[in-house]
Amino acid sequence: MADQSNDTRYPSCLSYNCANLTISYPFWRLDSETPTQFCGYEHFGINCSNNVPVVYFGSDSYYIPNINYESKIIVLVDYDVSPVVPTVACPRVRHSIDWGDMPFNFWGQNVNLSFHFNCTGVPDFAREIPCLSNPTNKSCVNSLNFEPENFNWTVYSCDDAVVTTVFDVFSSTMALETEFSRALRQGFEVKWGRTEDCEKCEESGGRCGHNNSTTELMCFCSGGAITMGHCKGTFVETPGFMLNYTSTPIKNAKTHRNSQ
């Protein structure tokens, strides 16, 4: 179970230690049962089952080896090929990266790799993956930087194709076939930005979150008060979410904490 720590300025915004990772705002901890409310960005919940930090983009899971809150950079590794699952000598990527409208941008020295599986042949700019190939069905990998524009892959009759992003650890394009598995296990970097609906809350000194029952935006203010928008009015006392229109925080406001 993740260890809990508190920032006394924001009693409803808890931080947790998960393995060697700190889960803190704008991230928050996912539990087996969804809490009534959470302090953090929507879809930034991190699962800490078995003391392994994992975030979800739709049905895809990513292991998180590191978060730098100062630079707002997070390292993500496709869970299926991450170092926290049993080692596979020849890992196979099964999905591309899709985080929808989450405020992420690729960062650092990343490279886009294109994988094609069970093809009738391998083009000159790609490298065959011997451990995923046989005499009649070839699998290969290439850097998108070296793929000719509008290249026609249909002539190779591949069963599947996946594009993913990894740290650029390759000494040359010739090294792709031997080093791609190490690159997959190291993952890639992204930088997160502020979500649009949290702008007013954060600019007023608050931390934003959501009420899972009503899907409404909540703003957690210093001292424990909770608002429906920002830390300059329209404060709410919880539980019950009784509105109290005031320009000053409610004293001794009762707050829910995220489930532990």
Side-chain angles (χ1 to χ4, degrees), residues 72-89:
K72 298 183 177 181
I73 291 174
I74 181 171
V75 177
L76 300 171
V77 184
D78 184 343
Y79 185 83
D80 293 335
V81 296
S82 72
V84 296
V85 300
T87 302
V88 177

Side-chain angles (χ1 to χ4, degrees), residues 28-260:
W28 48 282
R29 183 184 161 204
L30 276 172
D31 293 285
S32 57
E33 295 183 7
T34 304
T36 302
Q37 65 189 37
F38 60 85
C39 176
Y41 291 177
E42 193 171 13
H43 307 305
F44 272 43
I46 296 176
N47 192 315
C48 192
S49 297
N50 301 316
N51 212 33
V52 176
V54 175
V55 67
Y56 303 100
F57 303 146
S59 60
D60 301 329
S61 305
Y62 289 85
Y63 165 63
I64 308 171
N66 186 55
I67 300 177
N68 187 319
Y69 289 93
E70 184 175 351
S71 60
K72 298 183 177 181
I73 291 174
I74 181 171
V75 177
L76 300 171
V77 184
D78 184 343
Y79 185 83
D80 293 335
V81 296
S82 72
V84 296
V85 300
T87 302
V88 177
C90 194
R92 187 198 190 285
V93 183
R94 301 190 180 280
H95 58 82
S96 298
I97 301 169
D98 182 6
W99 51 62
D101 58 358
M102 294 178 69
F104 286 153
N105 289 298
F106 288 109
W107 196 258
Q109 297 298 314
N110 295 323
V111 60
N112 293 322
L113 297 183
S114 177
F115 291 85
H116 288 78
F117 303 100
N118 298 324
C119 309
T120 56
V122 177
D124 292 340
F125 59 84
R127 304 300 300 172
E128 182 179 344
I129 304 174
C131 59
L132 293 177
S133 300
N134 60 47
T136 57
N137 293 298
K138 307 294 185 180
S139 294
C140 59
V141 57
N142 65 277
S143 167
L144 283 183
N145 292 335
F146 296 98
E147 181 174 321
E149 187 175 359
N150 299 320
F151 181 77
N152 183 15
W153 278 95
T154 60
V155 298
Y156 292 94
S157 303
C158 303
D159 285 348
D160 191 20
V162 175
V163 175
T164 194
T165 301
V166 296
F167 284 119
D168 189 357
V169 300
F170 306 103
S171 55
S172 69
T173 57
M174 300 292 291
L176 281 175
E177 64 189 78
T178 57
E179 296 184 8
F180 79 93
S181 59
R182 179 168 66 93
L184 291 175
R185 292 189 180 100
Q186 292 187 19
F188 56 95
E189 283 185 332
V190 297
K191 190 178 183 72
W192 75 83
R194 176 189 289 170
T195 59
E196 185 176 348
D197 56 355
C198 288
E199 185 173 348
K200 289 184 179 180
C201 173
E202 291 184 341
E203 288 182 350
S204 68
R207 294 180 172 182
C208 73
H210 285 78
N211 174 357
N212 277 343
S213 300
T214 64
T215 68
E216 291 180 315
L217 178 71
M218 304 177 70
C219 189
F220 298 88
C221 304
S222 178
I226 303 173
T227 82
M228 302 301 289
H230 53 78
C231 293
K232 295 181 180 179
T234 319
F235 284 83
V236 179
E237 184 178 8
T238 59
F241 302 104
M242 298 298 293
L243 294 181
N244 186 336
Y245 297 93
T246 175
S247 59
T248 58
I250 296 174
K251 295 181 179 180
N252 301 321
K254 299 177 182 178
T255 61
H256 270 318
R257 294 187 176 186
N258 294 341
S259 299
Q260 299 178 24

